[in-house]
Amino acid sequence: MALTGGADTTARKAKWWFVNAVVVVYALVPVLWIASLSFKTKETINDGNFVPREWTLENYRAIFGTSEFVRALVNSIGIALIATAIAVVLGTMAAYAIARLDFPGKRALVGVSLLIAMFPQVSLVSPLFEMERGLGLFDTWPGLILPYITFALPLAIYTLSAFFREIPWELEKAAKMDGATPAQAFLKVIAPLAAPGVFTTAILVFIFCWNDFLFAISLTSTERSRTVPAALSFFTGSSQFEDPTGTICAAAVVITVPIILFVLFFQRRIVAGLTSGAVKG
Amino acid sequence: MSAGDGMTTTRRGDALAAARYLAPAALVLVGLLGYPMYQLVLISFYDYGQEQASAGAPLTFIGFDNYQRLFSEPQFWGVLGQTVAFAAACVAGTLLVGGALAVLASRVRAVPRTLLFLAALGAWATPAVAGSTVWLFLFDADLGLVNEVLVGLGIHDMAGYSWTYDKLVAFALVAGEVIWCSFPFVMVTLYAGIRAIPAEVLEAATLDGASTWRATRSVVLPLLRPLIAVATIQSIIWDFKLFTQIYVMTGGGGVAGQNLVLNVYAYQQAFAASDYGLGSAIGVVMTVVLLVVTLFYLRALRRRGEELA
């Protein structure tokens, strides 16, 4: 009895390990493959080897040598950072009100922000295109920052209010009773408790802005404000005589690696942020 | 009586403070979402093409003509149908893979679990454009790793096989990528849900002689049902809105537009065909559909007693 139980567990363990291995392969192979391609020379890029036979930084040198890519990278970083900062500040204010204050229409408000988060972005592309051309915002940084704020804000409000709900706000009152000024009570007691939630939200919002492709291809037309995801799609047809695979891969690695590092480094917090809307407590 | 009055004044005070805190966000949302939405509906009632957009030709109000044109267009119904089917396949795949992995993650020890989570988060974090591009390279007809491996395994027919030429194969390929980048969310959510189930409940089931499968079906699944509902609807909303993957992987909708989904269709009508009126009408239709799905989502949330605020 015990013996069969033991054999059963070993077999089951082996099965779990196998499934685990398949998943890890499914999840990791694409990422590793693109990294591998980006380090291959033009001659060996099609050899199908998983590990490059000849390592080269040629592709990276090539993309960083073009203003097209460098400019796109600067645009991506700048636009995503500014949009994140604004969305998080406005979102924090709104979420604070939702978590702390009692006012009519509060429930509806979170529902509405959720509704906006679900809104199909593509619907807004033509009207935004029209408006931005009218206002001279087309193909500028604000032209992308503004729609990013719009779509990041509901996400920020929703995630932040889930976090803020868990903060023991009575501590603020206790600190005030102990003689702290309101500012002190907020900075010393509440801010440290709220910081992880705000930080997590900022990461999620940043990733959203960084990854956007739809607005990036429709609301920009030149290097002036084109972000990396959009620039990447223009790499493909840049020259029909030169195979752009290596450079595309290098560019993809450059935009993917920071996000993956970010996510792996803060994985606990991000998991908390992802599940905050779905899991209670 | 006085307590009641006190309540009202606090409420009123709160409402005032709340208005101050909410004003900036509201301002942004009204200006940047409300106004374009109004524009969207407005444009959908006009004959709005290239001449109107760039040359300032006079606008003609055509009422519901754009909608009529859209609804009488066989391509629209075709695209709508395949959008729904494709989204359904992606949602089912995502839930299946994500759910199985959540169970797996709750069964294995710390090291393989960490490995699993790292791999999943890596896939989740890859920008859609980069992910789509890699998948295309992996499945490239002549140079892709997948064909090479398949040929190496002795399946010689796969040499030079194009994964994007056949409609269903192309959809399957895109679905593979979509599931790849969206299963981590479901996995993480359901894993958190499984961990929240008290160990005693499962122990009691085991003591009563329930097999693992039986315990999963009769104890774990019912407890997870509300979470599964939330994950499902969230996946529906995402997968219905897919744009990047289809646009990048099938080159803007596939051979002769065979792989179009609603989102890409709207974009193509508005931008490639410069028919902003029709594009806007598609946008309105999509919004209405998603609105309905979202209302179901809110109801699912409410039913499980999740407090929204």
Side-chain angles (χ1 to χ4, degrees):
Chain A
M1 187 74 186
L3 206 71
T4 45
D8 182 49
T9 8
T10 320
R12 184 173 296 161
K13 220 181 248 171
K15 202 177 75 193
W16 282 129
W17 266 103
F18 176 72
V19 179
N20 216 342
V22 170
V23 179
V24 171
V25 166
Y26 177 57
L28 280 186
V29 162
V31 181
L32 294 179
W33 179 243
I34 204 163
S36 151
L37 285 181
S38 76
F39 287 114
K40 286 183 177 178
T41 57
K42 281 200 176 58
E43 291 74 37
T44 58
I45 198 148
N46 299 329
D47 65 0
N49 257 27
F50 210 90
V51 181
R53 270 188 221 139
E54 268 180 81
W55 292 77
T56 176
L57 289 175
E58 193 57 47
N59 296 312
Y60 290 92
R61 222 169 283 139
I63 54 168
F64 280 106
T66 61
S67 70
E68 191 190 353
F69 181 77
V70 176
R71 193 60 229 255
L73 196 61
V74 172
N75 289 338
S76 264
I77 296 171
I79 289 171
L81 279 181
I82 296 173
T84 305
I86 299 175
V88 168
V89 168
L90 297 184
T92 304
M93 287 170 67
Y96 176 81
I98 290 168
R100 284 281 333 255
L101 305 170
D102 183 31
F103 56 92
K106 189 160 99 165
R107 278 172 154 273
L109 201 68
V110 185
V112 167
S113 73
L114 203 62
L115 226 82
I116 296 169
M118 310 305 182
F119 194 81
Q121 283 97 324
V122 80
S123 302
L124 283 198
V125 167
S126 348
L128 278 174
F129 176 72
E130 278 309 304
M131 282 168 63
E132 295 201 348
R133 277 163 36 123
L135 295 169
L137 287 177
F138 179 71
D139 198 22
T140 63
W141 276 28
L144 278 184
I145 292 172
L146 291 174
Y148 288 171
I149 295 173
T150 317
F151 281 101
L153 198 50
L155 174 78
I157 294 175
Y158 190 63
T159 317
L160 280 168
S161 48
F163 274 115
F164 286 178
R165 218 163 45 202
E166 307 297 327
I167 293 180
W169 295 99
E170 314 83 58
L171 286 180
E172 193 183 23
K173 211 179 273 172
K176 276 186 205 154
M177 275 181 185
D178 286 346
T181 63
Q184 274 175 333
F186 184 79
L187 281 179
K188 293 250 164 83
V189 180
I190 295 304
L193 286 173
V198 174
F199 188 73
T200 306
T201 309
I203 294 176
L204 292 176
V205 168
F206 183 85
I207 291 176
F208 167 81
C209 301
W210 181 262
N211 289 356
D212 170 73
F213 176 65
L214 177 60
F215 288 125
I217 56 164
S218 12
L219 299 177
T220 65
S221 61
T222 64
E223 274 178 31
R224 212 149 65 105
S225 60
R226 195 176 277 152
T227 57
V228 181
L232 208 60
S233 72
F234 285 96
F235 267 25
T236 329
S238 61
S239 150
Q240 58 186 121
F241 303 110
E242 203 182 311
D243 181 19
T245 308
T247 42
I248 291 178
C249 288
V253 168
V254 171
I255 58 168
T256 305
V257 163
I259 298 294
I260 290 189
L261 287 181
F262 225 42
V263 166
L264 295 186
F265 195 68
F266 297 110
Q267 56 151 323
R268 254 165 228 285
R269 294 205 166 154
I270 288 179
V271 167
L274 282 179
T275 50
S276 65
V279 185
K280 220 171 165 179
Chain B
M1 181 75 184
S2 70
D5 281 346
M7 281 288 278
T8 347
T9 23
T10 345
R11 243 182 111 88
R12 198 166 298 146
D14 270 9
L16 224 84
R20 270 205 305 273
Y21 282 114
L22 292 171
L27 210 69
V28 168
L29 288 180
V30 168
L32 290 170
L33 196 78
Y35 185 69
M37 259 168 90
Y38 161 76
Q39 285 276 325
L40 174 77
V41 177
L42 204 65
I43 294 175
S44 76
F45 288 124
Y46 281 90
D47 177 19
Y48 205 102
Q50 188 60 49
E51 311 87 61
Q52 286 81 11
S54 45
L59 285 174
T60 350
F61 181 81
I62 53 170
F64 284 95
D65 273 15
N66 281 324
Y67 291 92
Q68 214 159 39
R69 203 148 55 92
L70 186 65
F71 292 144
S72 61
E73 178 105 51
Q75 199 191 3
F76 166 74
W77 295 105
V79 170
L80 181 66
Q82 64 197 35
T83 305
V84 171
F86 179 64
C90 289
V91 170
T94 307
L95 285 173
L96 219 65
V97 176
L101 293 180
V103 175
L104 177 66
S106 68
R107 293 288 173 79
V108 295
R109 265 186 255 150
V111 177
R113 187 168 62 231
T114 313
L115 215 66
L116 199 63
F117 270 90
L118 291 185
L121 284 174
W124 178 77
T126 306
V129 174
S132 307
T133 314
V134 194
W135 274 71
L136 269 189
F137 286 156
L138 272 174
F139 285 84
D140 191 87
D142 302 312
L143 318 166
L145 182 67
V146 173
N147 279 2
E148 209 149 325
V149 168
L150 288 175
V151 170
L153 287 174
I155 312 168
H156 293 287
D157 289 352
M158 297 309 283
Y161 180 76
S162 165
W163 291 83
T164 50
Y165 184 72
D166 182 71
K167 178 173 167 172
L168 286 179
V169 175
F171 265 133
L173 178 63
V174 179
E177 201 277 346
V178 170
I179 295 169
W180 176 69
C181 64
S182 50
F183 83 81
F185 169 77
V186 175
M187 169 181 153
V188 163
T189 308
L190 293 185
Y191 173 72
I194 292 175
R195 288 301 295 271
I197 295 174
E200 306 88 65
V201 175
L202 283 176
E203 255 162 48
T206 320
L207 280 180
D208 286 347
S211 64
T212 316
W213 166 240
R214 185 67 208 269
T216 306
R217 216 187 44 189
S218 316
V219 179
V220 178
L221 272 186
L223 285 172
L224 284 183
R225 231 180 55 194
L227 260 188
I228 295 173
V230 169
T232 308
I233 299 180
Q234 197 129 55
S235 301
I236 293 176
I237 289 161
W238 273 336
D239 293 345
F240 201 72
K241 288 200 293 190
L242 283 178
F243 176 82
T244 313
Q245 281 90 347
I246 291 278
Y247 190 85
V248 173
M249 293 180 75
T250 68
V255 182
Q258 60 175 8
N259 291 112
L260 280 175
V261 292
L262 224 44
N263 236 344
V264 183
Y265 184 57
Y267 181 84
Q268 298 288 25
Q269 289 301 331
F271 281 84
S274 289
D275 195 340
Y276 299 101
L278 190 64
S280 300
I282 303 172
V284 171
V285 171
M286 271 201 74
T287 308
V288 170
V289 172
L290 274 173
L291 206 77
V292 172
V293 178
T294 309
L295 289 177
F296 273 109
Y297 178 66
L298 288 173
R299 255 187 50 188
L301 279 180
R302 180 135 334 139
R303 192 171 306 159
R304 58 180 282 244
E306 166 83 40
E307 247 192 274
L308 275 175

